[in-house]
Amino acid sequence: MLEAIQLTKSYQQHPALKGLNLTINAGEIFCLLGANGAGKTTTINLFMNFIQPTSGEVKVNGLNVVTQARETKKYLAYIPESLNLYPHLTGLENLQFFVNLGEKQLDKNTLESLLVATGLPQEAVRKRVAHYSKGMRQKVGIAIAKAKEADNLLLDEPTSGLDPQASNDFAVLLQQMQAKGVATLMATHDLFRAREVGTHIGIMRAGELVHVLKSEDISLNELEKLYIATMKTTAHA
């Protein structure tokens, strides 16, 4: 479970996040929409404990991410917009390195199977990541999350810059993790993917979560209209 309780964050008196309340349960994919500066990445960074809240609480599996930082990291996997892998290592070597960082030992055959299961071509597994497309790098990120067996997944614009096929492949991988009970928070600009893979959708505006709805209760066309209307409200504020 991922949980924010009256969460706020300010930078030099400027509020970036205002009283966020959010709960994401096992098997849910919560897609966070909003313009740049709306508070999406700030929310992700607070869950990762990259920054600390001005007030309120952030919890992972019931544990406070500030006071129990080391413990909460065991239950989290994070994939940013640009995944930092080591370009001179192969996909397999990168996966092995990050798995070992998590104090876990898996043999090379198991690691290779994880990469192939994400859709990474067999011939790419032992090629240097410097030659990977962004979609291939993101698959390594998913393999890292799977190897870690994290209960919760945080994604910051993971499909930005992906071609339609790679974006679809990524959506399939998310649904596979959802089926295993992983709770996912994804910040995105992609309304189509949010509607397609999300169980819930939130729209942020100026640091506030102004709309929360179930994906099944709204069509893509309705979501687009609601999003545009919300952004217009921001422009006129």
Side-chain angles (χ1 to χ4, degrees):
M1 177 193 285
L2 298 168
E3 189 176 12
I5 306 166
Q6 282 297 305
L7 188 60
T8 71
K9 179 63 182 178
S10 295
Y11 297 98
Q12 298 178 342
Q13 308 304 314
H14 174 72
L17 202 63
K18 308 171 186 175
L20 176 68
N21 288 297
L22 178 63
T23 301
I24 305 167
N25 294 305
E28 293 180 346
I29 300 176
F30 193 103
C31 294
L32 208 52
L33 299 171
N36 291 334
K40 304 187 303 298
T41 295
T42 295
T43 301
I44 297 286
N45 287 343
L46 285 163
F47 270 104
M48 284 301 299
N49 197 34
F50 292 158
I51 56 176
Q52 293 194 359
T54 302
S55 64
E57 285 188 279
V58 193
K59 292 185 176 183
V60 173
N61 289 6
L63 303 172
N64 188 294
V65 302
V66 176
T67 60
Q68 297 165 289
R70 186 167 182 176
E71 185 70 14
T72 57
K73 287 292 193 294
K74 296 177 183 177
Y75 306 112
L76 282 173
Y78 168 60
I79 301 178
E81 180 176 356
S82 297
L83 184 62
N84 290 321
L85 299 174
Y86 292 95
H88 298 297
L89 298 180
T90 67
L92 180 60
E93 288 167 342
N94 268 280
L95 178 57
Q96 188 170 38
F97 173 78
F98 285 105
V99 167
N100 290 345
L101 273 185
E103 300 177 357
K104 197 168 185 177
Q105 298 295 323
L106 294 175
D107 63 70
K108 283 191 175 182
N109 287 337
T110 299
L111 294 173
E112 188 167 338
S113 296
L114 281 168
L115 287 167
V116 172
T118 67
L120 192 70
Q122 183 77 52
E123 62 272 16
V125 169
R126 297 177 186 273
K127 285 186 178 180
R128 290 183 180 181
V129 165
H131 303 295
Y132 281 19
S133 66
K134 179 176 179 180
M136 292 166 74
R137 292 195 301 271
Q138 296 295 57
K139 286 174 181 176
V140 175
I142 287 287
I144 292 169
K146 284 186 171 183
K148 190 176 181 181
E149 297 183 327
D151 299 323
N152 306 281
L153 183 60
L154 300 171
L155 306 168
D156 193 4
E157 300 289 353
T159 60
S160 174
L162 296 185
D163 63 47
Q165 182 61 57
S167 182
N168 183 70
D169 291 346
F170 193 83
V172 170
L173 291 170
L174 288 189
Q175 289 169 331
Q176 290 173 358
M177 297 186 77
Q178 176 194 8
K180 293 183 178 180
V182 174
T184 301
L185 173 60
M186 179 168 75
T188 182
H189 286 291
D190 191 338
L191 273 67
F192 173 76
R193 290 297 170 199
R195 171 62 183 77
E196 181 189 40
V197 303
T199 58
H200 297 75
I201 297 170
I203 301 177
M204 296 195 78
R205 181 185 66 210
E208 295 183 274
L209 186 59
V210 292
H211 298 291
V212 176
L213 29 104
K214 290 184 177 181
S215 301
E216 62 187 19
D217 293 338
I218 191 168
S219 68
L220 179 59
N221 185 52
E222 290 168 336
L223 176 60
E224 184 178 44
K225 288 179 178 178
L226 178 62
Y227 180 83
I228 291 171
T230 304
M231 296 308 103
K232 283 183 177 178
T233 302
T234 305
H236 296 156

